[in-house]
Every structure is written in C-alpha cells, then in structure tokens.
Amino acid sequence: MVMELTHLEKRLLNDFQRDLPLSQRPYADMAEQLGVSEQEVIDTLERLRERGVVSRVGAVFRPHSVGVSTLAAMAVPEAELERVAEAITAYPHVNHNYEREHEYNLWFVVTAKDESELCGVLEDMERSTGLSVLALPLLEDYHIDLGFDLQWT
Amino acid sequence: MDMSAFREHLRQIRSRVGFLEDTDLALIGAIEKGLPLSPRPYAEVAAGLGISEQEVLRRLAALRNRGVIKRLGVVVRHRELGYRANAMVVWDVPDDTVGELGRCFSGYDFVTLCYRRPRQLPQWPYNLFCMIHGKTRDEVQARIAQLVQECGLESVQHQVLFSRRRFKQCGARYHGVTTCPALADAREADYAT
C-alpha cells in the first residue's frame, strides 16, 4: 500500500523534520520557503496528522533529560504472548510495545518520573506476569538525530 | 531482575544530564504532545504557561543548543509511509571499541537510533543497539551487510530482531500518564528510547 502524497506534502514531510523555525510565525516562514500560503501549510500539516502520517509537529527529546526510562524485554511463551502483551500495554508507563523475532519476543519501553517509580513498575510487571524482565537502560547515545531521509521515488 | 545493578546504571546516566529549571520542565510538558497548528504556536504555548512568547523562543533555542531537544520539526510515522520493515540489530562489541563503532553507525542515515546498553550476562551479551528502517526486509538486510563491511564487523557477533506486531507506540510522556491509544490506532512518534 503506497500512500498518495502531493508535492507539498512530500516537502513538508521531508524538509522540516529538523529545523522548525524558532520565530513568531514558523508556519509562515515555511510557507515562504515553499512558495505557498501560511494557511496552506497549516491545513496540510493538520491533514497529514489526521491521516496518521505525522505524529506531531514538535520536539524529540534526548532520553533521560526529563524522567527516566528503560528498554525492556521478556521471553514469553508463544501461547501467552497476546495476553502478556496486553497486560504490558495496559501500563500507562509503557510507550512502545513490539513483538520481535527472537526468544526475547516482547520489547517495550517503560518511562517514569523517577528511579523508584521505574523500578516499582518493572517489579510489578514481573509479579503480575510471572516472567522475568530484562532491563536494558541506555548508557550512551551515539545518534545525532537528523531526521530521516524519506527518499521519494 | 537485579535491581541494584539497574539502579546503578540509571544513576550513571542521570548524573550526566544537566539541571533543568522548573520553567523548562513546564515548557517540555506543554509541548510534548506537539505544538499547536495555528499561526502563533509559541505564543499559544506561552499563554498557557504565563510567560512571554520571547521567553518560550529563547528557552527552546537553549534546550536545542544543549541537546535536550534533539530536533524540532515534523515527526513522521515511518510505517504509515511504507517503511514497514524495522529491525533492531544488537552487537556484542568489545568495550574498548564500542564508542568508535557507535559513531561509525551514526554516520549512516538509515540508522535511526544507536545506543550503548549494559550486557546482562549470561542471557544477554549484546551491548550496542541500532535501529534500521527500510521498505522491505531485503533492504534492511542489505543495509546491515553494508554496516558489517564498512565498519569492519566481520568477527563481531550480532543478531537481527525484526519487528512483528506493534502492540503500542506513541511518544514518551514524562508528566504523569501516557494517553496514547493501543493497537490499531497506535501513535508512532520518535523511537526515542
């Protein structure tokens, strides 16, 4: 399934992942670069958001700048995977939860306001599922986030 | 799991993050779900916080310069744009070369995250993680082969964990409860953690 996108949509998606203008009217500045009106930029972004192509126009924060978080994994027996995944997803502290092809087949990210809350949530997960959690906190970030070149073809 | 080792890791990480003023924290809370799509987005955020638009702009610029904000802009959902293959690749790298390799990986634009994490022996020997997105599995595999060759990793153990089902995905929320919906309506954001 390939999504149909207009030229303006493609440019908005690809060219402004990183340097949203820090000016009083950022969308007007973008519009000027694109040769369209401010309202067109705003309406197009709004539509892309409604279609689910854009998650938000905003900031990507460095992990651990605010709050604490960790990547975590569980090795879940296949027959229990859906039930356990649902139980993990139900925690408000979980913001990603994926099945991956590995013995450790459930991977999720747990975020909390501080260390004790985070440890408490992980312990609670172990108790409620009866499975142990592999916690893999980030120690160093090598990635400079330049956005992602969408390579329209 | 071993909570004492985990707590020690968290302490190490947090000691490297600088101090944030209360106003910065409030500002982060106000924009974490996105900026308003209206002509004066920063003025709207400012009004909600009871500070001036100029102060919002100044603080955001400072947070960006310090690296607290990694980027400010349009956050796209890769899957919805046809980048459906996503693999977490994990490597067991000697500790004294992990930094060098992490920086080598970061030079490739198809590597969308690259982190060092602690090993958890004996179950988990891998200490370098990267995320690779592609339109197909073959494309992702080809990119991994390219990394192996160009970063000199022929003798390094690695595993490729393709994603299967997405049970939940949304941006990290630090202030209280996440509001992202699960499953079909899951909201993608960054892969920030």
Side-chain angles (χ1 to χ4, degrees):
Chain A
M1 179 204 70
V2 176
M3 191 171 293
E4 291 296 321
L5 294 165
T6 65
H7 178 69
L8 175 62
E9 288 171 334
K10 287 182 181 180
R11 287 206 59 194
L12 282 171
L13 289 170
N14 200 60
D15 301 356
F16 296 94
Q17 290 184 32
R18 194 175 160 70
D19 291 311
L20 190 79
L22 278 174
S23 61
Q24 292 188 329
R25 298 179 68 170
Y27 305 119
D29 294 345
M30 289 160 70
E32 202 182 325
Q33 286 182 52
L34 295 164
V36 297
S37 71
E38 179 185 35
Q39 199 55 47
E40 244 176 299
V41 167
I42 290 174
D43 291 345
T44 307
L45 287 171
E46 187 62 62
R47 271 197 309 276
L48 288 169
R49 204 173 56 166
E50 279 163 16
R51 284 160 71 188
V53 181
V54 164
S55 144
R56 66 183 184 279
V57 176
V60 175
F61 296 101
R62 183 174 65 190
H64 295 283
S65 295
V66 190
V68 293
S69 59
T70 189
L71 178 68
M74 281 176 153
V76 186
E78 193 55 44
E80 290 173 46
L81 186 58
E82 268 186 47
R83 186 183 57 79
V84 173
E86 225 171 276
I88 296 297
T89 291
Y91 284 87
H93 312 83
V94 170
N95 61 48
H96 290 59
N97 190 14
Y98 270 89
E99 178 187 4
R100 293 194 177 275
E101 296 172 8
H102 194 268
E103 183 198 342
Y104 281 99
N105 52 355
L106 193 64
W107 289 81
F108 49 95
V109 173
V110 187
T111 298
K113 66 177 187 312
D114 58 33
E115 190 185 301
S116 4
E117 189 186 35
L118 184 58
C119 292
V121 171
L122 294 171
E123 281 168 339
D124 191 65
M125 287 172 167
E126 291 193 323
R127 257 195 315 274
S128 67
T129 62
L131 297 164
S132 58
V133 173
L134 189 67
L136 301 163
L138 179 163
L139 295 180
E140 222 166 323
D141 181 359
Y142 301 111
H143 183 246
I144 303 154
D145 196 337
L146 299 172
F148 187 70
D149 186 353
L150 293 165
Q151 299 168 341
W152 307 113
T153 46
Chain B
M1 57 176 280
D2 179 356
M3 282 295 167
S4 63
F6 179 65
R7 279 174 188 270
E8 183 47 43
H9 285 306
L10 288 182
R11 264 193 292 274
Q12 265 181 46
I13 303 156
R14 299 216 78 197
S15 66
R16 279 186 261 130
V17 176
F19 177 75
L20 289 174
E21 291 173 24
D22 286 348
T23 310
D24 288 325
L25 292 172
L27 176 57
I28 289 168
I31 67 164
E32 64 188 354
K33 288 177 188 163
L35 290 164
L37 291 173
S38 59
R40 301 277 296 270
Y42 304 114
E44 266 186 55
V45 170
L49 294 170
I51 59 177
S52 71
E53 181 183 30
Q54 277 315 310
E55 184 173 354
V56 166
L57 290 168
R58 183 177 60 73
R59 284 183 184 273
L60 288 176
L63 290 171
R64 189 153 76 172
N65 289 339
R66 285 171 61 184
V68 172
I69 290 177
K70 289 180 78 175
R71 66 184 166 94
L72 187 67
V74 177
V75 180
V76 302
R77 294 197 177 113
H78 298 113
R79 274 206 181 199
E80 278 67 7
L81 286 169
Y83 289 83
R84 305 197 71 83
N86 127 29
M88 185 172 77
V89 190
V90 297
W91 314 76
D92 175 7
V93 174
D95 289 328
D96 56 348
T97 56
V98 65
E100 192 187 320
L101 283 173
R103 283 183 289 276
C104 183
F105 286 0
S106 305
Y108 294 86
D109 63 3
F110 54 78
V111 174
T112 53
L113 279 184
C114 184
Y115 294 148
R116 181 166 72 87
R117 301 183 186 277
R119 294 186 176 87
Q120 303 281 349
L121 298 172
Q123 344 46 323
W124 190 260
Y126 305 100
N127 60 340
L128 185 62
F129 289 59
C130 64
M131 197 67 77
I132 296 178
H133 288 272
K135 291 187 171 156
T136 61
R137 288 174 79 105
D138 287 350
E139 187 183 17
V140 171
Q141 293 286 12
R143 288 170 165 182
I144 295 166
Q146 187 187 347
L147 287 181
V148 167
Q149 199 186 6
E150 295 178 8
C151 297
L153 295 166
E154 287 81 359
S155 61
V156 168
Q157 269 278 98
H158 74 271
Q159 289 199 340
V160 182
L161 287 77
F162 275 102
S163 64
R164 248 182 226 151
R165 271 174 291 178
R166 172 170 65 175
F167 293 113
K168 189 178 194 179
Q169 185 173 44
C170 56
R173 304 269 183 269
Y174 298 101
H175 292 260
V177 164
T178 60
T179 51
C180 69
L183 285 168
D185 196 29
R187 301 279 137 169
E188 126 68 348
D190 35 87
Y191 298 80
T193 318

